[in-house]
Amino acid sequence: IDTVLEKGLRSALAKEQKRAEELELRVAQMEHEKEALRDADRHRAEMVEKYARLEDEAERHKRDAQRSSELVKATRENLMFLTKALKMAKGEADALRKEKVQAESRADM
């Protein structure tokens, strides 16, 4: 009877050892999965921060582009004004030259 009991106990012990090893392996797998999830969470947080930085940078670029557009518009307006002023000054200079030539012609007569 003792040998049958010993055999049964040994068999139960072997099964429990095998079960304990399987559980240890499963715990190790779960720890590995947990670490992988932590890494994924860290990566996600980094990506969220990067996205926020890129969004801020895009807004800055958008504002800079708007300012550049306004500057271009103002420069065009200034150029048009200066072109008109130059044409007027040239017209006045031409008129003064014409008057000078006429005055010189009258003086020669």
Side-chain angles (χ1 to χ4, degrees):
I1 294 179
D2 284 342
T3 49
V4 172
L5 188 58
E6 271 183 42
K7 248 185 181 176
L9 288 174
R10 282 193 183 120
S11 174
L13 181 62
K15 285 180 185 176
E16 277 305 307
Q17 282 180 327
K18 184 176 179 183
R19 185 169 177 258
E21 289 170 0
E22 289 171 352
L23 287 173
E24 285 175 6
L25 180 61
R26 181 66 185 136
V27 166
Q29 288 172 340
M30 291 174 80
E31 287 295 326
H32 179 73
E33 290 171 3
K34 195 164 111 179
E35 187 60 35
L37 287 173
R38 272 192 226 116
D39 288 345
D41 283 345
R42 276 192 294 272
H43 180 69
R44 181 187 172 282
E46 289 170 1
M47 291 298 107
V48 166
E49 286 178 30
K50 186 175 183 179
Y51 176 79
R53 283 193 308 271
L54 289 173
E55 206 170 41
D56 289 344
E57 188 175 340
E59 280 300 315
R60 271 194 314 278
H61 287 308
K62 187 178 174 182
R63 286 190 303 271
D64 289 347
Q66 181 65 32
R67 278 189 226 115
S68 292
S69 175
E70 291 168 1
L71 183 60
V72 166
K73 182 181 175 188
T75 302
R76 281 188 183 136
E77 289 171 359
N78 289 340
L79 183 59
M80 284 179 10
F81 172 78
L82 292 173
T83 302
K84 286 179 185 178
L86 185 59
K87 284 181 184 178
M88 286 176 59
K90 187 176 182 251
E92 289 178 19
D94 289 343
L96 288 173
R97 274 194 287 281
K98 188 176 178 181
E99 282 180 34
K100 180 183 171 195
V101 169
Q102 288 174 352
E104 287 174 350
S105 290
R106 279 182 285 199
D108 288 341
M109 288 186 192

